[in-house]
Amino acid sequence: MRRNQRQVEQAKIKLSMQIDDKSFQDTLMKTQVMVNKDATKWDLDIIMSLIEGPLLNPKRVEEAFRVLKWGKRLISFFHPLAYRFSTMKKSS
């Protein structure tokens, strides 16, 4: 049973990595990372699904970071000297 579960998980990962260019770009825009600097308006569920799915593909990572600069904005949010993530108030 354990081996079957592992195979199912691997199949799910492969399927989530397969997304066409237009859908990938639309999904990046739905996260609101490129539209708003205010991180409270970002859609974190979509960001997590991108990280766990299409961004496992090196081609998609390159597109997100170099071409669209989506990844650069996301990473700069967490940079300690930017004081953006570190100064956010905790929410319950």
Side-chain angles (χ1 to χ4, degrees), residues 45-64:
D45 293 330
I46 296 176
I47 292 172
M48 284 304 299
S49 68
L50 283 169
I51 291 171
E52 293 172 347
L55 289 177
L56 294 175
N57 183 346
K59 177 188 170 211
R60 297 292 180 204
V61 172
E62 181 180 4
E63 183 179 352

PDB file of all heavy atoms in Angstrom, residues 45-64:
ATOM      1  N   ASP A  45      -2.771  31.155  -1.125  1.00  0.00           N
ATOM      2  CA  ASP A  45      -3.131  29.791  -1.532  1.00  0.00           C
ATOM      3  C   ASP A  45      -2.630  29.501  -2.944  1.00  0.00           C
ATOM      4  O   ASP A  45      -2.086  28.428  -3.211  1.00  0.00           O
ATOM      5  CB  ASP A  45      -4.651  29.586  -1.461  1.00  0.00           C
ATOM      6  CG  ASP A  45      -5.177  29.635  -0.039  1.00  0.00           C
ATOM      7  OD1 ASP A  45      -4.420  29.260   0.882  1.00  0.00           O
ATOM      8  OD2 ASP A  45      -6.333  30.047   0.139  1.00  0.00           O
ATOM      9  N   ILE A  46      -2.782  30.469  -3.832  1.00  0.00           N
ATOM     10  CA  ILE A  46      -2.291  30.275  -5.199  1.00  0.00           C
ATOM     11  C   ILE A  46      -0.768  30.242  -5.210  1.00  0.00           C
ATOM     12  O   ILE A  46      -0.156  29.442  -5.924  1.00  0.00           O
ATOM     13  CB  ILE A  46      -2.831  31.374  -6.138  1.00  0.00           C
ATOM     14  CG1 ILE A  46      -4.344  31.282  -6.251  1.00  0.00           C
ATOM     15  CG2 ILE A  46      -2.191  31.259  -7.518  1.00  0.00           C
ATOM     16  CD1 ILE A  46      -4.974  32.389  -7.070  1.00  0.00           C
ATOM     17  N   ILE A  47      -0.136  31.075  -4.411  1.00  0.00           N
ATOM     18  CA  ILE A  47       1.330  31.081  -4.334  1.00  0.00           C
ATOM     19  C   ILE A  47       1.844  29.716  -3.886  1.00  0.00           C
ATOM     20  O   ILE A  47       2.777  29.175  -4.465  1.00  0.00           O
ATOM     21  CB  ILE A  47       1.826  32.207  -3.398  1.00  0.00           C
ATOM     22  CG1 ILE A  47       1.524  33.573  -4.017  1.00  0.00           C
ATOM     23  CG2 ILE A  47       3.319  32.068  -3.129  1.00  0.00           C
ATOM     24  CD1 ILE A  47       1.798  34.750  -3.106  1.00  0.00           C
ATOM     25  N   MET A  48       1.201  29.155  -2.862  1.00  0.00           N
ATOM     26  CA  MET A  48       1.621  27.832  -2.378  1.00  0.00           C
ATOM     27  C   MET A  48       1.390  26.754  -3.432  1.00  0.00           C
ATOM     28  O   MET A  48       2.227  25.862  -3.610  1.00  0.00           O
ATOM     29  CB  MET A  48       0.893  27.468  -1.081  1.00  0.00           C
ATOM     30  CG  MET A  48       1.427  28.199   0.127  1.00  0.00           C
ATOM     31  SD  MET A  48       3.199  27.968   0.398  1.00  0.00           S
ATOM     32  CE  MET A  48       3.286  26.221   0.633  1.00  0.00           C
ATOM     33  N   SER A  49       0.275  26.815  -4.137  1.00  0.00           N
ATOM     34  CA  SER A  49       0.020  25.810  -5.173  1.00  0.00           C
ATOM     35  C   SER A  49       1.023  25.932  -6.311  1.00  0.00           C
ATOM     36  O   SER A  49       1.409  24.924  -6.905  1.00  0.00           O
ATOM     37  CB  SER A  49      -1.410  25.906  -5.689  1.00  0.00           C
ATOM     38  OG  SER A  49      -1.610  27.096  -6.410  1.00  0.00           O
ATOM     39  N   LEU A  50       1.468  27.144  -6.614  1.00  0.00           N
ATOM     40  CA  LEU A  50       2.509  27.323  -7.631  1.00  0.00           C
ATOM     41  C   LEU A  50       3.840  26.738  -7.167  1.00  0.00           C
ATOM     42  O   LEU A  50       4.534  26.076  -7.926  1.00  0.00           O
ATOM     43  CB  LEU A  50       2.687  28.801  -7.968  1.00  0.00           C
ATOM     44  CG  LEU A  50       1.643  29.426  -8.865  1.00  0.00           C
ATOM     45  CD1 LEU A  50       1.815  30.936  -8.885  1.00  0.00           C
ATOM     46  CD2 LEU A  50       1.741  28.862 -10.262  1.00  0.00           C
ATOM     47  N   ILE A  51       4.180  26.993  -5.925  1.00  0.00           N
ATOM     48  CA  ILE A  51       5.458  26.500  -5.387  1.00  0.00           C
ATOM     49  C   ILE A  51       5.466  24.975  -5.330  1.00  0.00           C
ATOM     50  O   ILE A  51       6.476  24.346  -5.631  1.00  0.00           O
ATOM     51  CB  ILE A  51       5.723  27.117  -3.997  1.00  0.00           C
ATOM     52  CG1 ILE A  51       6.013  28.611  -4.153  1.00  0.00           C
ATOM     53  CG2 ILE A  51       6.885  26.415  -3.292  1.00  0.00           C
ATOM     54  CD1 ILE A  51       6.071  29.369  -2.866  1.00  0.00           C
ATOM     55  N   GLU A  52       4.352  24.392  -4.970  1.00  0.00           N
ATOM     56  CA  GLU A  52       4.274  22.934  -4.865  1.00  0.00           C
ATOM     57  C   GLU A  52       4.038  22.254  -6.205  1.00  0.00           C
ATOM     58  O   GLU A  52       4.133  21.037  -6.297  1.00  0.00           O
ATOM     59  CB  GLU A  52       3.150  22.549  -3.900  1.00  0.00           C
ATOM     60  CG  GLU A  52       3.428  22.953  -2.479  1.00  0.00           C
ATOM     61  CD  GLU A  52       2.237  22.749  -1.561  1.00  0.00           C
ATOM     62  OE1 GLU A  52       1.116  22.516  -2.065  1.00  0.00           O
ATOM     63  OE2 GLU A  52       2.433  22.837  -0.342  1.00  0.00           O
ATOM     64  N   GLY A  53       3.708  23.004  -7.235  1.00  0.00           N
ATOM     65  CA  GLY A  53       3.384  22.411  -8.530  1.00  0.00           C
ATOM     66  C   GLY A  53       4.285  22.886  -9.658  1.00  0.00           C
ATOM     67  O   GLY A  53       5.394  22.401  -9.818  1.00  0.00           O
ATOM     68  N   PRO A  54       3.814  23.848 -10.445  1.00  0.00           N
ATOM     69  CA  PRO A  54       4.539  24.257 -11.649  1.00  0.00           C
ATOM     70  C   PRO A  54       5.960  24.770 -11.396  1.00  0.00           C
ATOM     71  O   PRO A  54       6.825  24.628 -12.248  1.00  0.00           O
ATOM     72  CB  PRO A  54       3.671  25.372 -12.228  1.00  0.00           C
ATOM     73  CG  PRO A  54       2.321  25.133 -11.696  1.00  0.00           C
ATOM     74  CD  PRO A  54       2.512  24.511 -10.353  1.00  0.00           C
ATOM     75  N   LEU A  55       6.215  25.344 -10.240  1.00  0.00           N
ATOM     76  CA  LEU A  55       7.558  25.872  -9.987  1.00  0.00           C
ATOM     77  C   LEU A  55       8.569  24.783  -9.628  1.00  0.00           C
ATOM     78  O   LEU A  55       9.728  25.087  -9.353  1.00  0.00           O
ATOM     79  CB  LEU A  55       7.518  26.956  -8.908  1.00  0.00           C
ATOM     80  CG  LEU A  55       6.871  28.266  -9.374  1.00  0.00           C
ATOM     81  CD1 LEU A  55       6.801  29.254  -8.238  1.00  0.00           C
ATOM     82  CD2 LEU A  55       7.610  28.860 -10.552  1.00  0.00           C
ATOM     83  N   LEU A  56       8.153  23.529  -9.647  1.00  0.00           N
ATOM     84  CA  LEU A  56       9.111  22.428  -9.527  1.00  0.00           C
ATOM     85  C   LEU A  56       9.799  22.185 -10.861  1.00  0.00           C
ATOM     86  O   LEU A  56      10.823  21.524 -10.926  1.00  0.00           O
ATOM     87  CB  LEU A  56       8.398  21.156  -9.059  1.00  0.00           C
ATOM     88  CG  LEU A  56       7.819  21.199  -7.648  1.00  0.00           C
ATOM     89  CD1 LEU A  56       7.029  19.928  -7.369  1.00  0.00           C
ATOM     90  CD2 LEU A  56       8.911  21.391  -6.626  1.00  0.00           C
ATOM     91  N   ASN A  57       9.241  22.747 -11.919  1.00  0.00           N
ATOM     92  CA  ASN A  57       9.806  22.635 -13.258  1.00  0.00           C
ATOM     93  C   ASN A  57      10.814  23.777 -13.455  1.00  0.00           C
ATOM     94  O   ASN A  57      10.455  24.950 -13.338  1.00  0.00           O
ATOM     95  CB  ASN A  57       8.675  22.741 -14.291  1.00  0.00           C
ATOM     96  CG  ASN A  57       9.149  22.569 -15.706  1.00  0.00           C
ATOM     97  OD1 ASN A  57      10.334  22.619 -15.993  1.00  0.00           O
ATOM     98  ND2 ASN A  57       8.208  22.377 -16.599  1.00  0.00           N
ATOM     99  N   PRO A  58      12.084  23.468 -13.747  1.00  0.00           N
ATOM    100  CA  PRO A  58      13.105  24.519 -13.894  1.00  0.00           C
ATOM    101  C   PRO A  58      12.760  25.569 -14.951  1.00  0.00           C
ATOM    102  O   PRO A  58      13.101  26.742 -14.805  1.00  0.00           O
ATOM    103  CB  PRO A  58      14.365  23.749 -14.278  1.00  0.00           C
ATOM    104  CG  PRO A  58      14.126  22.360 -13.829  1.00  0.00           C
ATOM    105  CD  PRO A  58      12.650  22.141 -13.877  1.00  0.00           C
ATOM    106  N   LYS A  59      12.076  25.169 -15.999  1.00  0.00           N
ATOM    107  CA  LYS A  59      11.677  26.122 -17.044  1.00  0.00           C
ATOM    108  C   LYS A  59      10.719  27.168 -16.477  1.00  0.00           C
ATOM    109  O   LYS A  59      10.827  28.363 -16.773  1.00  0.00           O
ATOM    110  CB  LYS A  59      11.006  25.375 -18.192  1.00  0.00           C
ATOM    111  CG  LYS A  59      10.499  26.279 -19.294  1.00  0.00           C
ATOM    112  CD  LYS A  59       9.680  25.500 -20.299  1.00  0.00           C
ATOM    113  CE  LYS A  59       8.983  26.471 -21.237  1.00  0.00           C
ATOM    114  NZ  LYS A  59       7.722  25.974 -21.716  1.00  0.00           N
ATOM    115  N   ARG A  60       9.798  26.725 -15.646  1.00  0.00           N
ATOM    116  CA  ARG A  60       8.831  27.643 -15.041  1.00  0.00           C
ATOM    117  C   ARG A  60       9.496  28.567 -14.024  1.00  0.00           C
ATOM    118  O   ARG A  60       9.128  29.731 -13.900  1.00  0.00           O
ATOM    119  CB  ARG A  60       7.701  26.872 -14.374  1.00  0.00           C
ATOM    120  CG  ARG A  60       6.888  26.060 -15.327  1.00  0.00           C
ATOM    121  CD  ARG A  60       6.111  26.954 -16.246  1.00  0.00           C
ATOM    122  NE  ARG A  60       5.316  26.151 -17.165  1.00  0.00           N
ATOM    123  CZ  ARG A  60       4.902  26.577 -18.335  1.00  0.00           C
ATOM    124  NH1 ARG A  60       5.178  27.782 -18.735  1.00  0.00           N
ATOM    125  NH2 ARG A  60       4.202  25.794 -19.110  1.00  0.00           N
ATOM    126  N   VAL A  61      10.470  28.050 -13.294  1.00  0.00           N
ATOM    127  CA  VAL A  61      11.192  28.887 -12.325  1.00  0.00           C
ATOM    128  C   VAL A  61      11.925  30.005 -13.069  1.00  0.00           C
ATOM    129  O   VAL A  61      11.875  31.169 -12.671  1.00  0.00           O
ATOM    130  CB  VAL A  61      12.188  28.044 -11.492  1.00  0.00           C
ATOM    131  CG1 VAL A  61      13.055  28.938 -10.633  1.00  0.00           C
ATOM    132  CG2 VAL A  61      11.433  27.051 -10.632  1.00  0.00           C
ATOM    133  N   GLU A  62      12.584  29.639 -14.159  1.00  0.00           N
ATOM    134  CA  GLU A  62      13.298  30.646 -14.943  1.00  0.00           C
ATOM    135  C   GLU A  62      12.331  31.698 -15.480  1.00  0.00           C
ATOM    136  O   GLU A  62      12.612  32.895 -15.432  1.00  0.00           O
ATOM    137  CB  GLU A  62      14.038  29.985 -16.102  1.00  0.00           C
ATOM    138  CG  GLU A  62      14.808  30.979 -16.943  1.00  0.00           C
ATOM    139  CD  GLU A  62      15.553  30.330 -18.088  1.00  0.00           C
ATOM    140  OE1 GLU A  62      15.425  29.109 -18.290  1.00  0.00           O
ATOM    141  OE2 GLU A  62      16.259  31.061 -18.787  1.00  0.00           O
ATOM    142  N   GLU A  63      11.191  31.256 -15.966  1.00  0.00           N
ATOM    143  CA  GLU A  63      10.201  32.195 -16.495  1.00  0.00           C
ATOM    144  C   GLU A  63       9.685  33.119 -15.396  1.00  0.00           C
ATOM    145  O   GLU A  63       9.555  34.323 -15.597  1.00  0.00           O
ATOM    146  CB  GLU A  63       9.041  31.422 -17.117  1.00  0.00           C
ATOM    147  CG  GLU A  63       8.000  32.297 -17.763  1.00  0.00           C
ATOM    148  CD  GLU A  63       6.885  31.493 -18.395  1.00  0.00           C
ATOM    149  OE1 GLU A  63       6.975  30.251 -18.480  1.00  0.00           O
ATOM    150  OE2 GLU A  63       5.909  32.119 -18.811  1.00  0.00           O
ATOM    151  N   ALA A  64       9.407  32.568 -14.234  1.00  0.00           N
ATOM    152  CA  ALA A  64       8.861  33.362 -13.132  1.00  0.00           C
ATOM    153  C   ALA A  64       9.882  34.360 -12.593  1.00  0.00           C
ATOM    154  O   ALA A  64       9.532  35.479 -12.225  1.00  0.00           O
ATOM    155  CB  ALA A  64       8.384  32.450 -12.007  1.00  0.00           C
TER     156      ALA A  64
END
